[in-house]
Amino acid sequence: MALVSVLVRVALTGGIASGKTTVSDRWAELGAVIVDSDVLAREVVEPGTPGLAAVAERFGCDVLTAAGALDRKALAGKVFGDDAARRDLEGILHPLIRARGEELERTAPDGAVVVHVIPLLVETKRDAEFDTIVVVDVPEDIQLRRAMSRDGATEEQVRARIAAQVTRQGRLAVATHVIDNSTDLPHLLAEADRVWALVTGRDGKLAGSSTL
């Protein structure tokens, strides 16, 4: 009887300043293969890429720096508060990010737990693609305070970013597991470890593994 390990695909999501990066870093330490959409979003618009060319064609050369890189602040000024512009940007980036994520997943070792960090999981209707969905949850008042402190943003700016994402309830509705991040870092790490045990199986076997 041979053990056949089945790749476990996990989606990790949460709103702005919810703690997704802390959780994914912890899981990487525990052996997860991390595919982070925010990292890929930067990769697909590096200088010389088709993604950057498409962004410049749609939004103008003033979203580029003098060195030819993407000026993220200039692009944000064109997109935030303009739903049509935001949808156009997402239409350029999301297919590129998704394709790159699939490419990285194909390089994962047999039986790996692959964690896709996708802030806009619900918004992009990708929740049905994964074996498990983990939501890092935080009350909006704490989320607001943390985002303002982390990013140096105003309350108005953070509220606009929160409003552009699906509601907290919308994320929780698709969750397989929920990680609470309403207190402090030790609590968040304990929650990350608790859910990791549920995803991988407390006996050390991968959830979804089978024997033939």
Side-chain angles (χ1 to χ4, degrees), residues 73-123:
K73 185 175 181 180
L75 179 61
K78 290 177 176 283
V79 171
F80 283 113
D82 186 333
D83 288 343
R86 177 174 53 81
R87 285 193 295 270
D88 286 349
L89 180 62
E90 290 171 352
I92 294 169
L93 298 185
H94 288 175
L96 297 173
I97 294 168
R98 183 168 180 171
R100 179 59 177 148
E102 291 172 351
E103 180 182 353
L104 291 175
E105 183 175 296
R106 287 193 293 271
T107 69
D110 181 48
V113 177
V114 179
V115 178
H116 290 257
V117 186
I118 308 176
L120 301 180
L121 177 76
V122 178
E123 293 87 335

Side-chain angles (χ1 to χ4, degrees), residues 6-168:
V6 179
L7 188 88
V8 179
R9 304 180 73 247
V10 180
L12 177 66
T13 192
I16 179 178
S18 61
K20 298 181 295 298
T21 299
T22 300
V23 173
S24 66
D25 286 348
R26 179 69 158 194
W27 286 357
E29 292 174 359
L30 296 173
V33 175
I34 304 297
V35 180
D36 191 324
S37 292
D38 283 344
V39 173
L40 300 187
R42 293 179 177 274
E43 181 180 318
V44 300
V45 289
E46 288 179 348
T49 60
L52 183 59
V55 169
E57 181 179 358
R58 165 60 181 84
F59 294 99
C61 290
D62 55 338
V63 300
L64 301 178
T65 67
L70 181 64
D71 185 333
R72 296 181 182 281
K73 185 175 181 180
L75 179 61
K78 290 177 176 283
V79 171
F80 283 113
D82 186 333
D83 288 343
R86 177 174 53 81
R87 285 193 295 270
D88 286 349
L89 180 62
E90 290 171 352
I92 294 169
L93 298 185
H94 288 175
L96 297 173
I97 294 168
R98 183 168 180 171
R100 179 59 177 148
E102 291 172 351
E103 180 182 353
L104 291 175
E105 183 175 296
R106 287 193 293 271
T107 69
D110 181 48
V113 177
V114 179
V115 178
H116 290 257
V117 186
I118 308 176
L120 301 180
L121 177 76
V122 178
E123 293 87 335
T124 54
K125 298 180 172 58
R126 296 191 59 190
D127 48 286
E129 298 177 20
F130 297 91
D131 303 313
T132 299
I133 297 174
V134 178
V135 173
V136 185
D137 183 52
V138 61
E140 187 171 309
D141 61 327
I142 297 175
Q143 180 186 21
L144 179 67
R145 185 172 67 250
R146 288 174 178 168
M148 290 172 63
S149 175
R150 183 192 69 183
D151 301 336
T154 66
E155 179 176 345
E156 182 181 9
Q157 289 171 329
V158 175
R159 287 194 182 280
R161 294 177 68 180
I162 292 174
Q165 297 182 332
V166 72
T167 64
R168 180 185 181 190

